[in-house]
């Protein structure tokens, strides 16, 4: 496999970067992270209308661009670089992947065109309170009630769950895991914004107590399909981590070139220079991990292989990103500890994205099983 | 001429033709590799007529893949002539005369002429540009005196890549020249150096009034540093490529050691070691993929300072892998089967994966020293790739003879 980006890929990257430099500069990030909704509707609409970003992996039949994991990762990498505050991971990545993998044609036709057009914010409620990120662990109950369904359970860490107008819920039926949709205005539905370590990404808890729902999957157990959707989302998230890590390396290097102490730039001290060199190695490895996973996912339809590549990417990129943001604070000295400097925004994003969709240890455990260790 | 049009399938076909013509299982190394060279399949990124086809260097993997599949015998470049193939051939290609290219490169590839690198001296290691061996012009020759050290394979080498000082009145980087030294020339005295493993892979080399004809200078007089850098960058790329195959190389051996030893460990130790091995596996994969990405990015020509990413990462990773290997072995690590009697490298240490792991635990200590230490790699990455300022220098614009030197 030859995982080199084409000229078109480079062009996509440049276009997205230019757009985000204009729409998601540090000031924009800081003002949006202080809001409850956590995003700008205006920019969300522009993202769709000017750039078709929400349409990336929506199939063409449903008004999308029909791209795959590689193109999606280019976009999320750039978003990670600029810390874009928007319900992109929830809507255009997780919800779209879940619907494409597990959704019925009818549900896809109903939901995806609005997402692609930037007219909808969607999310998937996966994790049950006190449980992990594996689809098998889902415990929210789905019970048939005539033609409809009723869901009961408590969902945690739902990306943008407090604002989504399309709420997809993974729930357990008598014959496995299904994908359901509840209306935001349904009775017996409680949604609450979670105060997050990383305020650039909003999470919510969702309480379902016999809440009415429609089943939107293809029928039968959706464990494998949803696991694939989670893996694809994880791969896009690893690319987001790479973007942030690269940005922190650039911030640190730039600072090390200009900050003078003892009559010389601090970057001329080996303690600082070598830390930056180690960051560079980590960034390069993280890129290899994330890009390989994206290319693998776009070429292979072997679930085990995709899961293994996702596990490598998520485990390595999470730790590299965290280490790099940690070093970024240290290289900047007291300045790195202030609220004014962006280092803490990346630092918090690094830790929170490491915990999303399974932490590095969990992913390594999965990989160890896969390798038969 | 660059022949960028050749497809993977055409290259495979060409390799299969070679195998039809000569079977490496039936002829000796020199015959087979000589034919491989004639077909341009030796180093595909080399020009046609010089063992290559002018292709992207990454396409060599296709040839090797086909060779591995087509016969039982496969010659690893690293076993045949590591320094000659990794460094000698590229430096001759870049700086040698047409005559040298014709006569030397093929014999490097076949392994008929082993090469060594005469850079380090007792007083000049990381700071190799500070070296003090002297070459003085005498008629059509240069007369060299001095001592080299850590010279891997010098005892069986036909050619040495030698850097020597030709003008001590110039600043150190400017007063050196680069020579090809016939190791059989009078005055070349090679003595083994006893190492941590019990082996002597390397040597000290004394040069006493050794005469080198002027045409064996590569580059111009005073270009020694520039030519040496080409050599070193190729060395680092050669030392940073990771394993060619998924799960191959050291990590593959660690995995197999784990399979046969896991149950000897307590529950906690088992969980910790299992995660450690998984982390090492991940890094091994990423080393392999990173060098694959670097090769794809480098269209052709000699590698740049980015090669230090792989060199640094591989050195640190391999040391950790073998350390973990000893953890996995538990009390079995108390035993060292080969013993420490001075000997030249031989198959003994490679007899089985258990002994090999112990041997590599010792041998891998050199990974972060040979070919430039990890500290020097971090300096290169910091300064040449990230553009961070250098350290204040006390030796840069001073005549070499006036620079302070220790013992
Ligand atoms: C197995 C093996 C095989 C070798 N084969 C060859 C060969 O075939 N040909 C050949 O020419 N050489 C060979 N070498 C030599 C090798 O290149 C040198 O050992 C190496 O460059 C380090 O030099 P040194 O040993 O003099 O250590 P020094 O340069 O004295 O270094 C000692 C310590 O100081 C650190 N240090 C030095 N300068 C700096 C700096 N500027 N910043 C930060 N830290 C610094 C080093 O990183 C190291 O930790 C071989 C070495 C080994 C171990």
């Amino acid at each position: 496999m030859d995982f080199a980006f084409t000229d078109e890929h480079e062009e996509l990257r440049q276009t997205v970067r230019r757009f985000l430099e204009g729409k998601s500069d540090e000031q924009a990030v800081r003002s949006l992270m202080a809001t409850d909704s956590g995003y700008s509707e205006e920019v969300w609409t522009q993202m769709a209308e000017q750039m078709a970003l929400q349409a990336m992996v929506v199939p063409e039949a449903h008004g999308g661009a029909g791209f795959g994991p590689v193109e999606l990762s280019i976009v999320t990498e750039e978003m990670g670089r600029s810390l874009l505050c928007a319900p992109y991971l929830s809507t255009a990545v997780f919800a779209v992947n879940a619907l494409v993998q597990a959704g019925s044609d009818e549900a896809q036709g109903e939901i995806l065109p609005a997402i692609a057009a930037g007219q909808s914010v969607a999310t998937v409620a996966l994790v049950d309170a006190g449980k992990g990120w594996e689809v098998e662990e889902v415990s929210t109950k789905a019970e048939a009630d005539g033609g409809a369904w009723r869901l009961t359970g408590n969902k945690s860490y739902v990306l943008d769950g407090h604002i989504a107008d399309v709420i997809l819920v993974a729930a357990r039926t008598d014959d496995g895991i299904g994908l359901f949709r509840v209306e935001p205005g349904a009775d017996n539905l409680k949604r609450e914004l979670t105060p997050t370590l990383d305020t650039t990404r909003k999470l919510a808890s969702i309480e379902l107590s016999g809440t009415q729902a429609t089943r939107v999957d293809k029928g039968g157990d959706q464990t494998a399909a949803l696991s694939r959707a989670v893996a694809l989302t994880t791969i896009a998230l690893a690319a987001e981590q790479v973007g942030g890590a690269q940005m922190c390396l650039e911030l640190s290097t730039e600072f090390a070139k200009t900050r003078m102490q003892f009559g010389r730039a601090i970057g001329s001290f080996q303690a600082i220079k070598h830390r930056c060199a180690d960051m560079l190695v980590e960034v390069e490895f993280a890129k290899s991990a994330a890009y390989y996973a994206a290319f693998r996912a776009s070429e292979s339809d072997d679930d085990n292989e995709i899961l293994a590549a996702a596990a490598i990417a998520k485990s390595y990129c999470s730790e590299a990103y965290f280490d790099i943001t940690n070093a970024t604070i240290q290289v900047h000295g007291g300045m790195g500890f202030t609220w004014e400097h962006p280092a803490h925004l990346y630092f918090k994003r690094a830790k929170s994205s490491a915990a999303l969709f399974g932490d590095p240890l969990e992913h390594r455990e999965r990989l160890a099983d896969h390798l038969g260790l | 001429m660059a022949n960028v049009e050749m497809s993977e399938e055409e290259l495979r076909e060409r390799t299969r033709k070679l195998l039809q013509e000569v079977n490496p299982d039936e002829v000796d190394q020199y015959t087979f590799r000589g034919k491989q060279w004639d077909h341009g399949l030796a180093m595909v990124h080399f020009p046609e007529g010089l063992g290559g086809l002018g292709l992207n260097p990454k396409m060599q993997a296709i040839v090797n893949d086909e060779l591995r599949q087509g016969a039982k015998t496969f010659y690893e470049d690293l076993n045949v002539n590591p320094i000659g193939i990794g460094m000698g051939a590229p430096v001759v290609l870049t700086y040698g005369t047409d005559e040298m290219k014709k006569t030397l490169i093929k014999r490097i590839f076949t392994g008929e002429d082993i090469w060594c690198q005469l850079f380090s001296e007792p007083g000049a290691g990381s700071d190799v540009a500070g070296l003090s061996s002297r070459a003085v012009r005498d008629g059509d020759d240069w007369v060299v005196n001095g001592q080299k050290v850590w010279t891997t394979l010098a005892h069986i080498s036909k050619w040495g890549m030698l850097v020597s000082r030709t003008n001590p009145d110039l600043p150190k980087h400017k007063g050196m020249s680069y020579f090809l030294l016939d190791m059989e020339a009078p005055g070349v005295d090679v003595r083994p150096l006893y190492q941590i493993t019990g082996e002597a892979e390397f040597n000290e080399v004394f040069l006493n009034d050794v005469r080198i004809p002027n045409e064996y200078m590569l580059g111009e007089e005073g270009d020694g540093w520039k030519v040496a850098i080409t050599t070193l960058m190729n060395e680092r790329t050669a030392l940073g490529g990771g394993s060619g195959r998924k799960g191959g190389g050291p990590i593959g051996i660690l995995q197999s050691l784990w399979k046969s030893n896991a149950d000897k460990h307590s529950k906690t130790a088992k969980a910790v070691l299992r995660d450690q091995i998984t982390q090492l596996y991940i890094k091994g994969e990423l080393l392999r993929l990173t060098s694959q990405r670097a090769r794809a990015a480098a269209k052709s020509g000699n590698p740049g300072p980015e090669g230090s990413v792989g060199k640094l990462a591989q050195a640190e990773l391999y040391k950790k892998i073998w350390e973990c290997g000893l953890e996995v072995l538990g009390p079995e690590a108390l035993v060292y089967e080969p013993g420490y009697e001075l000997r030249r490298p031989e198959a003994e240490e490679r007899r089985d994966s258990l002994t090999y792991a112990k041997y590599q635990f010792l041998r891998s200590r050199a990974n972060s020293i040979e070919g430039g230490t990890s500290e020097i790699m971090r300096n290169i990455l910091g300064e040449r790739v990230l553009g961070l300022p250098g350290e204040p220098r006390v030796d840069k614009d001073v005549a070499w003879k006036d620079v302070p030197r220790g013992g």
Side-chain angles (χ1 to χ4, degrees):
Chain A
M1 190 190 66
D2 192 12
F3 59 120
F5 292 108
T6 61
D7 291 346
E8 288 75 34
H9 287 145
E10 278 317 315
E11 206 178 301
L12 171 65
R13 182 185 297 287
Q14 291 315 322
T15 324
V16 176
R17 182 170 301 185
R18 268 198 305 278
F19 176 83
L20 291 173
E21 277 168 359
K23 306 291 177 184
S24 176
D25 60 8
E26 192 182 330
Q27 208 190 342
V29 169
R30 285 177 182 273
S31 67
L32 290 173
M33 74 187 198
T35 64
D36 277 356
S37 78
Y39 78 114
S40 150
E41 285 181 41
E42 190 191 335
V43 173
W44 185 249
T45 307
Q46 288 167 346
M47 276 167 63
E49 286 176 357
Q50 296 172 18
M51 317 272 304
L53 294 183
Q54 290 92 321
M56 290 305 287
V57 290
V58 173
E60 280 165 310
H62 299 302
F67 285 126
V70 174
E71 292 77 12
L72 182 65
S73 285
I74 291 170
V75 172
T76 55
E77 184 180 338
E78 291 306 316
M79 290 177 172
R81 180 183 173 86
S82 73
L83 286 176
L84 173 74
C85 294
Y88 193 82
L89 189 67
S90 52
T91 306
V93 183
F94 196 16
V96 170
N97 275 319
L99 282 167
V100 169
Q101 297 300 330
S104 66
D105 285 345
E106 191 193 340
Q108 292 193 40
E110 229 172 80
I111 302 170
L112 291 176
I115 290 180
Q119 289 154 2
S120 175
V121 171
T123 191
V124 184
L126 170 67
V127 180
D128 279 281
K131 296 281 170 53
W133 297 87
E134 299 265 13
V135 175
E136 294 96 76
E137 292 179 76
V138 164
S139 64
T140 288
K141 275 218 130 1
E143 281 161 323
D145 177 19
W149 292 78
R150 297 210 171 266
L151 308 185
T152 305
N154 290 317
K155 292 288 185 183
S156 304
Y157 320 126
V158 184
L159 294 163
D160 304 303
H162 61 308
I163 54 165
D165 53 270
V166 172
I167 306 167
L168 303 172
V169 181
R172 186 170 291 282
T173 68
D174 288 339
D175 53 355
I177 307 293
L179 188 65
F180 299 85
R181 176 182 181 176
V182 296
E183 292 304 322
D187 291 336
N188 305 320
L189 173 73
K190 221 171 109 192
R191 306 198 275 171
E192 207 174 325
L193 178 65
T194 308
T196 37
L197 176 78
D198 166 19
T199 51
T200 62
R201 176 134 53 213
K202 305 297 180 189
L203 300 175
S205 58
I206 296 187
E207 229 181 273
L208 301 148
S209 11
T211 315
Q212 193 177 336
T214 19
R215 187 159 186 168
V216 293
D217 61 40
K218 297 186 168 96
D221 180 29
Q222 299 300 316
T223 305
L226 287 174
S227 299
R228 209 175 311 126
V230 169
L232 293 171
T233 306
T234 306
I235 290 169
L237 181 58
E240 189 197 280
Q241 295 174 312
V242 166
Q246 170 72 37
M247 186 63 181
C248 286
L249 171 62
E250 290 172 24
L251 286 174
S252 300
T253 311
E254 200 41 47
F255 185 75
K257 283 179 194 169
T258 48
R259 169 71 178 168
M260 305 288 287
Q261 287 291 283
F262 299 94
R264 41 199 275 221
I266 59 163
S268 69
F269 296 113
Q270 287 192 346
I272 300 293
K273 181 181 295 167
H274 289 189
R275 198 74 186 85
C276 291
D278 287 337
M279 287 158 94
L280 171 65
V281 173
E282 285 181 312
V283 165
E284 287 303 317
F285 270 43
K287 285 182 178 172
S288 298
Y291 298 166
Y292 177 78
F295 278 93
R296 208 82 208 93
S298 69
E299 287 167 12
S300 166
D301 39 36
D302 177 343
D303 278 0
N304 277 326
E305 233 183 286
I306 296 174
L307 248 54
I312 290 178
K314 185 59 174 28
S315 159
Y316 190 84
C317 296
S318 294
E319 289 186 350
Y321 191 14
F322 181 72
D323 191 53
I324 287 167
T325 56
N326 209 6
T328 300
I329 294 177
Q330 186 64 20
V331 166
H332 283 81
M335 180 66 86
F337 186 70
T338 62
W339 187 263
E340 282 142 76
H341 194 276
H344 74 102
L345 304 178
Y346 288 96
F347 176 77
K348 291 166 184 168
R349 175 64 80 84
K351 193 68 211 173
S352 80
S353 61
L356 271 181
F357 295 103
D359 65 21
L361 261 170
E362 285 171 65
H363 280 284
R364 285 202 296 273
E365 180 154 24
R366 224 176 280 174
L367 181 63
D369 290 342
H370 173 78
L371 295 171
L373 291 177
Chain B
M1 267 292 43
N3 188 351
V4 284
E5 303 300 331
M6 184 175 287
S7 72
E8 171 170 343
E9 198 35 53
E10 284 168 301
L11 191 58
R12 282 192 191 277
E13 185 51 40
R14 208 183 163 99
T15 312
R16 286 194 287 266
K17 274 217 191 85
L18 163 72
L19 286 168
Q20 275 160 22
E21 203 180 306
V22 274
N23 182 346
D25 297 333
E26 285 161 13
V27 299
D28 67 12
Q29 172 186 318
Y30 309 128
T31 311
F32 179 72
R33 289 184 54 104
K35 281 277 183 248
Q36 185 180 349
W37 201 87
D38 295 341
H39 283 254
L41 298 169
M43 297 170 278
V44 295
H45 58 294
F46 271 46
E48 283 185 56
L50 289 175
L53 296 165
L55 301 177
N56 186 309
K58 71 181 173 179
M59 293 185 83
Q60 187 66 41
I62 295 164
V63 174
N64 293 351
D65 184 49
E66 204 59 47
L67 291 178
R68 274 203 186 86
Q69 284 177 31
K72 278 208 277 308
T73 311
F74 178 79
Y75 299 105
E76 293 278 357
D77 289 351
L78 275 177
N79 297 334
V80 170
N81 195 359
I83 296 174
I85 294 172
M87 295 169 250
V91 86
V92 171
L93 181 68
T94 312
Y95 293 103
T97 60
D98 286 346
E99 179 61 24
M100 286 176 187
K101 291 180 201 170
K102 267 195 236 115
T103 54
L104 297 177
I105 300 182
K106 183 173 181 182
R107 295 174 65 86
I108 290 177
F109 182 74
T110 59
E112 281 156 289
D113 290 348
I114 302 296
W115 282 49
C116 66
Q117 177 191 17
L118 296 151
F119 283 22
S120 304
E121 296 183 3
S126 299
D127 181 19
V128 69
L131 55 81
S132 40
S133 65
R134 285 280 278 124
V136 178
R137 186 75 190 245
D138 179 34
D140 287 340
D141 293 342
W142 291 85
V143 179
V144 188
N145 279 286
Q147 184 194 341
K148 294 289 173 178
V149 73
W150 322 129
T151 320
T152 306
L153 295 174
H155 54 293
I156 53 169
S157 286
K158 169 63 185 164
W159 291 99
M161 294 168 272
L162 170 73
V163 187
S164 235
R165 189 157 307 281
T166 41
N167 188 345
D169 295 322
L170 290 174
K172 62 183 196 173
H173 289 90
K174 299 194 176 125
M176 297 180 291
S177 301
Y178 197 109
F179 302 91
L180 295 185
L181 169 66
D182 181 346
M183 295 295 285
E184 289 161 10
V188 178
D189 179 12
V190 178
R191 301 181 197 164
L193 280 174
Y194 193 21
Q195 4 178 119
I196 197 169
T197 53
E199 296 173 311
E201 287 168 87
F202 53 32
N203 305 271
E204 42 188 357
V205 178
F206 295 87
L207 305 167
N208 297 311
D209 291 332
V210 178
R211 300 190 80 87
I212 305 179
N214 186 50
E215 57 273 24
Y216 283 89
M217 179 184 276
L218 293 192
E220 301 295 315
E221 181 180 343
D223 277 351
W225 183 245
K226 191 174 88 187
V227 184
I229 286 290
T230 310
T231 317
L232 291 173
M233 301 250 185
N234 278 292
E235 176 176 25
R236 278 157 204 164
T237 314
L239 289 173
S243 163
R245 281 165 304 124
K246 196 180 175 102
I251 191 65
I253 297 175
L254 180 61
Q255 278 174 269
S256 74
L257 283 179
W258 176 244
K259 280 180 188 150
S260 44
N261 289 279
D263 291 334
K264 295 182 186 157
H265 294 277
S266 73
K267 201 173 147 207
T268 309
K270 213 168 159 173
V272 171
L273 283 171
R274 190 171 188 253
D275 185 57
Q276 241 177 48
I277 295 165
T278 314
Q279 287 189 40
L280 294 168
Y281 174 88
I282 290 174
K283 286 197 180 150
E285 269 298 278
L286 299 181
L287 175 66
R288 183 178 71 82
L289 296 169
T290 301
S291 80
Q292 197 175 317
R293 269 200 313 123
R295 273 198 304 276
K299 298 273 179 291
S300 62
N302 286 308
E306 314 75 40
S308 294
V309 169
K311 162 71 173 88
L312 171 61
Q314 175 165 320
E316 300 302 323
L317 173 65
Y318 282 11
K319 286 169 77 174
K320 290 250 160 57
I321 287 179
W322 297 115
E323 286 161 30
C324 185
L326 256 68
E327 297 279 324
V328 166
L329 292 181
E332 179 56 47
L334 291 165
V335 184
Y336 188 54
E337 289 84 351
Y340 290 113
E341 205 164 327
L342 175 63
R343 62 193 179 278
R344 289 299 184 180
E346 49 193 329
E348 177 68 10
E349 293 78 2
R350 296 155 184 86
R351 202 180 43 200
D352 59 44
S353 63
L354 191 76
T355 314
Y356 185 66
K358 296 172 185 179
Y359 163 74
Q360 281 294 356
F361 166 70
L362 298 172
R363 176 59 181 83
S364 59
R365 294 313 101 184
N367 293 166
S368 51
I369 302 169
E370 59 197 340
T373 68
S374 288
E375 289 74 27
I376 296 299
M377 292 309 117
R378 291 189 178 96
N379 283 348
I380 291 173
L381 291 175
E383 292 169 23
R384 309 269 314 278
V385 179
L386 295 175
L388 293 171
E391 308 219 38
R393 296 283 291 258
V394 295
D395 60 352
K396 199 128 194 177
D397 298 312
V398 185
W400 173 82
K401 61 182 167 52
D402 299 327
V403 175
R405 262 178 299 281

Coordinates of all heavy atoms in Angstrom, one line a residue, chain A residues 42-76:
Chain A
E42 N -23.6 30.6 11.6 CA -23.2 31.2 10.3 C -22.1 30.5 9.7 O -22.1 30.1 8.5 CB -22.8 32.7 10.7 CG -22.6 33.5 9.4 CD -21.9 34.8 9.8 OE1 -22.1 35.3 11.0 OE2 -21.3 35.4 8.9
V43 N -21.0 30.2 10.5 CA -19.9 29.4 9.9 C -20.3 28.0 9.5 O -19.9 27.5 8.5 CB -18.7 29.4 10.9 CG1 -17.6 28.5 10.4 CG2 -18.2 30.8 11.2
W44 N -21.2 27.4 10.3 CA -21.7 26.1 10.0 C -22.3 26.0 8.6 O -22.1 25.1 7.8 CB -22.6 25.6 11.1 CG -23.2 24.2 11.0 CD1 -24.5 23.9 10.8 CD2 -22.4 23.0 11.3 NE1 -24.6 22.5 10.8 CE2 -23.4 21.9 11.1 CE3 -21.1 22.7 11.6 CZ2 -23.0 20.6 11.3 CZ3 -20.7 21.4 11.7 CH2 -21.7 20.4 11.6
T45 N -23.1 27.1 8.4 CA -23.8 27.2 7.1 C -22.8 27.4 6.0 O -22.8 26.8 4.9 CB -24.8 28.3 7.1 OG1 -25.6 28.2 8.2 CG2 -25.6 28.3 5.8
Q46 N -21.8 28.3 6.2 CA -20.8 28.5 5.2 C -19.9 27.3 4.9 O -19.6 27.0 3.8 CB -19.8 29.6 5.7 CG -20.5 31.0 5.7 CD -19.7 32.0 6.4 OE1 -18.8 31.7 7.2 NE2 -20.0 33.3 6.2
M47 N -19.7 26.5 6.0 CA -18.9 25.3 5.8 C -19.6 24.4 4.8 O -19.0 23.7 4.0 CB -18.8 24.5 7.1 CG -17.7 25.0 8.0 SD -17.9 24.3 9.7 CE -17.7 22.5 9.4
A48 N -20.9 24.3 4.9 CA -21.7 23.5 4.0 C -21.8 24.1 2.6 O -21.6 23.5 1.6 CB -23.1 23.2 4.6
E49 N -22.2 25.4 2.6 CA -22.5 26.0 1.3 C -21.3 26.3 0.5 O -21.3 26.1 -0.8 CB -23.3 27.3 1.5 CG -24.7 26.9 1.9 CD -25.6 28.2 2.3 OE1 -25.0 29.3 2.3 OE2 -26.8 28.0 2.6
Q50 N -20.2 26.7 1.1 CA -19.0 27.1 0.3 C -18.0 25.9 0.1 O -17.3 25.8 -0.8 CB -18.2 28.2 1.0 CG -19.0 29.5 1.1 CD -18.3 30.5 2.0 OE1 -17.1 30.4 2.3 NE2 -19.0 31.5 2.5
M51 N -18.1 25.0 1.1 CA -17.0 24.0 1.1 C -17.6 22.5 1.1 O -16.8 21.6 0.9 CB -16.1 24.1 2.4 CG -15.7 25.5 2.7 SD -14.2 26.0 1.9 CE -13.2 24.7 2.4
A52 N -18.9 22.4 1.3 CA -19.5 21.1 1.4 C -18.8 20.2 2.4 O -18.7 19.0 2.2 CB -19.6 20.4 0.0
L53 N -18.4 20.7 3.5 CA -17.6 19.9 4.4 C -18.4 18.9 5.1 O -18.0 17.7 5.4 CB -16.9 20.8 5.5 CG -15.8 21.7 4.9 CD1 -15.1 22.4 6.1 CD2 -14.7 20.9 4.1
Q54 N -19.7 19.2 5.5 CA -20.5 18.2 6.2 C -20.9 17.1 5.2 O -21.4 16.1 5.7 CB -21.8 18.9 6.7 CG -21.6 19.9 7.9 CD -21.4 21.3 7.4 OE1 -20.7 21.5 6.4 NE2 -21.9 22.3 8.2
A55 N -20.7 17.3 3.9 CA -21.1 16.3 2.9 C -20.0 15.3 2.6 O -20.2 14.4 1.9 CB -21.6 17.0 1.7
M56 N -18.8 15.5 3.2 CA -17.7 14.7 2.8 C -18.0 13.2 2.6 O -17.8 12.7 1.5 CB -16.5 14.8 3.9 CG -15.9 16.1 4.0 SD -15.2 16.7 2.4 CE -13.8 15.7 2.2
V57 N -18.4 12.5 3.7 CA -18.6 11.1 3.5 C -20.1 10.7 3.4 O -20.4 9.5 3.5 CB -17.9 10.3 4.7 CG1 -16.4 10.4 4.5 CG2 -18.3 10.8 6.1
V58 N -20.9 11.7 3.1 CA -22.3 11.3 2.8 C -22.3 10.8 1.4 O -21.7 11.4 0.5 CB -23.2 12.6 2.9 CG1 -24.6 12.3 2.4 CG2 -23.2 13.1 4.4
P59 N -23.0 9.7 1.1 CA -23.0 9.1 -0.2 C -23.6 10.1 -1.2 O -24.5 10.9 -0.8 CB -23.9 7.8 -0.1 CG -23.8 7.5 1.4 CD -23.7 8.8 2.1
E60 N -23.2 10.0 -2.5 CA -23.7 10.9 -3.5 C -25.2 10.8 -3.6 O -25.9 11.7 -3.8 CB -23.0 10.7 -4.8 CG -21.7 11.3 -4.9 CD -20.8 10.8 -6.0 OE1 -20.7 9.6 -6.2 OE2 -20.3 11.7 -6.8
A61 N -25.7 9.5 -3.5 CA -27.2 9.3 -3.6 C -28.0 10.1 -2.6 O -29.2 10.4 -2.8 CB -27.5 7.8 -3.4
H62 N -27.4 10.5 -1.5 CA -28.1 11.3 -0.5 C -27.6 12.7 -0.4 O -27.6 13.3 0.6 CB -28.0 10.6 0.8 CG -28.5 9.2 0.9 ND1 -29.9 9.0 0.5 CD2 -28.0 8.0 1.1 CE1 -30.1 7.7 0.6 NE2 -29.0 7.1 0.9
G63 N -27.1 13.2 -1.6 CA -26.7 14.6 -1.6 C -25.3 14.9 -1.1 O -25.0 16.1 -0.8
G64 N -24.5 13.9 -1.0 CA -23.2 14.1 -0.4 C -22.1 14.1 -1.5 O -22.4 14.0 -2.7
A65 N -20.9 14.2 -1.0 CA -19.7 14.2 -1.9 C -19.2 12.8 -2.2 O -18.4 12.6 -3.1 CB -18.6 15.1 -1.3
G66 N -19.6 11.9 -1.3 CA -19.2 10.5 -1.5 C -17.7 10.2 -1.4 O -17.1 9.3 -1.9
F67 N -17.0 11.0 -0.6 CA -15.6 10.8 -0.3 C -15.4 9.7 0.8 O -16.4 9.3 1.4 CB -14.9 12.1 0.2 CG -14.6 13.0 -0.9 CD1 -15.1 14.4 -0.8 CD2 -13.9 12.7 -2.1 CE1 -14.8 15.3 -1.8 CE2 -13.7 13.6 -3.1 CZ -14.2 14.9 -3.0
G68 N -14.2 9.3 1.0 CA -13.9 8.3 2.0 C -13.1 8.8 3.2 O -12.9 10.0 3.4
P69 N -12.6 7.9 4.0 CA -11.8 8.2 5.2 C -10.6 9.1 5.0 O -10.2 9.9 5.8 CB -11.4 6.8 5.7 CG -12.3 5.8 5.1 CD -12.8 6.4 3.8
V70 N -10.0 8.9 3.8 CA -8.7 9.7 3.6 C -9.1 11.2 3.5 O -8.5 12.1 4.2 CB -8.0 9.3 2.3 CG1 -6.9 10.2 1.9 CG2 -7.6 7.8 2.4
E71 N -10.1 11.5 2.7 CA -10.5 12.9 2.5 C -11.0 13.5 3.8 O -10.8 14.6 4.2 CB -11.5 13.1 1.4 CG -11.0 12.8 0.0 CD -10.8 11.3 -0.3 OE1 -11.3 10.5 0.5 OE2 -10.1 11.0 -1.3
L72 N -11.8 12.7 4.5 CA -12.4 13.1 5.8 C -11.3 13.4 6.8 O -11.3 14.4 7.5 CB -13.3 12.0 6.4 CG -14.0 12.4 7.7 CD1 -15.0 13.5 7.5 CD2 -14.7 11.1 8.3
S73 N -10.2 12.6 6.8 CA -9.1 12.8 7.7 C -8.4 14.1 7.4 O -7.9 14.8 8.3 CB -8.2 11.6 7.7 OG -8.8 10.5 8.4
I74 N -8.3 14.4 6.1 CA -7.6 15.7 5.8 C -8.4 16.8 6.4 O -7.8 17.8 7.0 CB -7.6 15.9 4.3 CG1 -6.6 14.8 3.7 CG2 -7.2 17.3 3.9 CD1 -6.6 14.7 2.2
V75 N -9.7 16.8 6.3 CA -10.6 17.8 6.9 C -10.5 17.9 8.4 O -10.3 18.9 9.0 CB -12.0 17.6 6.4 CG1 -13.0 18.6 7.2 CG2 -12.2 17.8 4.9
T76 N -10.6 16.7 9.1 CA -10.5 16.8 10.5 C -9.1 17.1 11.0 O -9.0 17.8 12.1 CB -11.0 15.4 11.2 OG1 -10.2 14.4 10.6 CG2 -12.4 15.1 10.9

